[in-house]
């Protein structure tokens, strides 16, 4: 799948806005203890302009909430990063300063790094002199490629299940990763919409070949009978949905081809009756170049 066709930010935003509390609990349990999740409000999308660079950036996710035992509101800012950027920590500070200027509230910044390369990402941005530290800005981070995926299969957490697909596994482990994802999915017992969200996220980043899918089925058969039946039912269900979607697309393409052929037939008859190309273009929508090619 082409990397340019994946809207990474949209996928992560959809996952995290649906399972915000589960995300905080999974990666930052000490933060989870302090937040009052009875009050959650997802703020509208923020577009920040970088005048110097001449660019516009959309802040990925802003959540307004409270700390336990406090009346004042705080804002949690989650930024997803799918590519390496040397100035990322500086960008996080710029986002923080612009958001603070607008909301005038305490802001908790969190960055999620999802690219495959393993590297040490900074979690701070500092401005200092030999005689004074002017700024020491810090933020929380999640570096998915560094996380040991086997550790997270023990969590019955929907975010853990979806993000297995971006954690630190090798090619030989792909079948096992998907098997454990499916086992987690059956244990979670989510409604169909949320289950579909997790499945779509996982499949975007970890897709098996036909040979690997056969191996997956063989491994599922070795599970305990009741669990194997649930996992296999899940596999068959999503395969069927995929086939139905493919059939719908095929029908749409067939209809498009049929309509195109009908337009060409009409254009040919109109040419035979002496209509000019501009009139035919206006009535059929066919390109003038195509109409010219139809002339005898």
């Amino acid at each position: 799948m082409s990397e340019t066709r994946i809207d990474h930010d949209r996928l992560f935003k959809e996952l995290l806005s649906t399972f915000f509390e589960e995300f905080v609990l999974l990666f930052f349990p000490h933060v989870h203890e302090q937040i009052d999740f009875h009050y959650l409000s997802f703020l509208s999308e923020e577009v920040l302009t970088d005048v110097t660079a001449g660019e516009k950036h959309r802040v990925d996710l802003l959540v307004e909430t409270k700390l336990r035992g406090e009346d004042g509101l705080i804002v949690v800012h989650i930024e997803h990063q799918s590519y390496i950027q040397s100035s990322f920590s500086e960008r996080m500070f710029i986002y923080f300063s612009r958001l603070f200027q607008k909301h005038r509230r305490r802001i908790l910044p969190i960055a999620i790094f999802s690219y495959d390369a393993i590297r040490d990402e900074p979690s701070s941005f500092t401005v200092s002199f030999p005689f004074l530290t002017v700024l020491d800005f810090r933020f929380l981070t999640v570096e998915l490629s560094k996380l040991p995926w086997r550790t997270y299969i023990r969590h019955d957490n929907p975010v853990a299940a979806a993000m297995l697909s971006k954690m630190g596994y090798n090619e030989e482990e792909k079948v096992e990763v998907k098997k454990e994802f499916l086992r987690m999915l059956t244990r979670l017992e989510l409604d169909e919409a949320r289950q579909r969200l997790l499945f779509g996220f996982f499949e975007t980043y970890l897709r098996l070949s036909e040979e690997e899918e056969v191996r997956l089925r063989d491994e599922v058969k070795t599970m305990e009978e009741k669990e194997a039946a649930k996992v296999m039912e899940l596999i068959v269900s999503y395969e069927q949905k995929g086939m139905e979607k493919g059939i719908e697309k095929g029908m749409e393409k067939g209809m498009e081809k049929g309509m195109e052929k009908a337009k060409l037939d009409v254009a040919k008859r109109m040419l035979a009756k002496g209509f000019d190309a501009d009139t035919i273009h206006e009535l059929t929508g066919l390109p003038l170049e195509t109409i010219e090619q139809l002339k005898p």
Side-chain angles (χ1 to χ4, degrees):
M1 184 177 293
S2 172
E3 191 75 7
T4 57
R5 294 182 184 176
I6 301 175
D7 189 345
H8 301 284
D9 291 340
R10 182 190 62 79
L11 284 168
F12 274 81
K13 183 174 182 178
E14 190 174 359
L15 177 70
L16 298 181
S17 59
T18 304
F19 300 107
F20 174 72
E21 182 177 357
E22 291 85 348
F23 164 75
V24 177
L25 175 61
L26 180 66
F27 294 117
F28 308 106
H30 62 295
V31 176
H32 184 271
E33 290 176 2
Q34 300 295 324
I35 291 181
D36 181 359
F37 289 94
H38 291 102
Y39 183 91
L40 283 181
S41 176
F42 292 91
L43 302 181
S44 59
E45 186 178 75
E46 295 273 0
V47 179
L48 305 179
T49 303
D50 186 338
V51 178
T52 305
E55 298 175 346
K56 288 185 177 180
H57 299 284
R58 284 179 170 79
V59 173
D60 287 342
L61 191 65
L62 286 178
V63 184
E64 191 176 65
T65 184
K66 294 180 179 181
L67 295 183
R68 296 179 188 274
E70 295 188 11
D71 292 330
L73 297 173
I74 68 167
V75 174
V76 179
H77 165 215
I78 302 177
E79 192 68 20
H80 166 248
Q81 185 72 0
S82 62
Y83 59 93
I84 296 171
Q85 182 183 32
S86 59
S87 61
F88 179 78
S89 59
E90 180 181 343
R91 180 156 67 90
M92 282 294 285
F93 169 67
I94 292 171
Y95 284 2
F96 175 87
S97 59
R98 300 278 180 83
L99 293 170
F100 183 79
Q101 184 179 28
K102 177 176 180 178
H103 297 281
R104 296 290 176 174
R105 290 179 186 143
R106 286 178 293 172
I107 296 170
L108 176 63
I110 301 174
I112 305 173
F113 301 97
S114 69
Y115 50 75
D116 295 332
I118 297 177
R119 49 182 270 136
D120 293 324
E121 282 289 350
S123 58
S124 65
F125 177 68
T126 305
V127 177
S128 64
F129 299 93
F131 50 85
L132 177 67
T133 298
V134 176
L135 173 70
D136 186 12
F137 168 71
R138 298 177 180 275
F139 51 96
L140 298 174
T141 62
V142 179
E143 296 181 69
L144 291 174
S145 62
K146 286 185 174 182
L147 300 181
W149 68 272
R150 292 182 190 277
T151 302
Y152 287 86
I153 63 177
R154 302 187 184 98
H155 295 265
D156 285 338
N157 185 305
V159 175
M163 290 191 180
L164 285 181
S165 59
K166 293 299 292 178
M167 291 183 185
Y169 57 84
N170 57 46
E171 283 294 310
E172 289 71 32
E173 294 175 318
K174 284 172 62 180
V175 172
E176 191 177 358
V177 174
K178 184 167 182 180
K179 180 184 72 175
E180 294 300 335
F181 163 73
L182 293 168
R183 294 177 73 180
M184 292 173 75
L185 215 53
T186 58
R187 293 199 304 269
L188 288 167
E189 298 183 345
L190 300 168
D191 60 74
E192 186 179 352
R194 295 188 175 203
Q195 192 179 82
R196 195 184 310 122
L197 169 60
L198 297 184
F199 207 100
F201 185 99
F202 185 92
E203 287 272 296
T204 298
Y205 295 112
L206 196 160
R207 191 175 291 274
L208 300 183
S209 65
E210 290 185 14
E211 182 183 342
E212 288 169 331
E213 288 288 354
V214 172
R215 280 176 48 205
L216 173 64
R217 287 171 178 265
D218 290 340
E219 291 196 19
V220 169
K221 290 174 185 175
T222 65
M223 293 180 187
E224 183 270 327
E225 185 177 352
K226 190 174 180 181
E227 184 181 35
K230 286 183 178 180
V231 172
M232 193 59 73
E233 183 181 349
L234 198 60
I235 293 173
V236 171
S237 171
Y238 277 92
E239 281 184 350
Q240 186 176 1
K241 286 183 175 70
M243 288 174 63
E244 289 171 356
K245 194 172 181 180
I247 290 170
E248 286 176 6
K249 284 186 177 179
M251 289 175 66
E252 287 174 6
K253 285 183 180 179
M255 289 174 66
E256 287 173 4
K257 286 182 179 178
M259 290 175 67
E260 193 69 18
K261 185 177 184 303
K263 286 181 181 180
L264 292 171
D265 289 340
V266 169
K268 287 178 183 177
R269 290 199 296 271
M270 291 179 75
L271 283 170
K273 292 184 178 181
F275 284 88
D276 62 86
D278 288 332
T279 302
I280 297 171
H281 165 69
E282 186 178 343
L283 294 174
T284 65
L286 289 170
L288 288 171
E289 184 180 323
T290 302
I291 297 168
E292 291 295 333
Q293 292 173 355
L294 293 174
K295 290 182 178 180

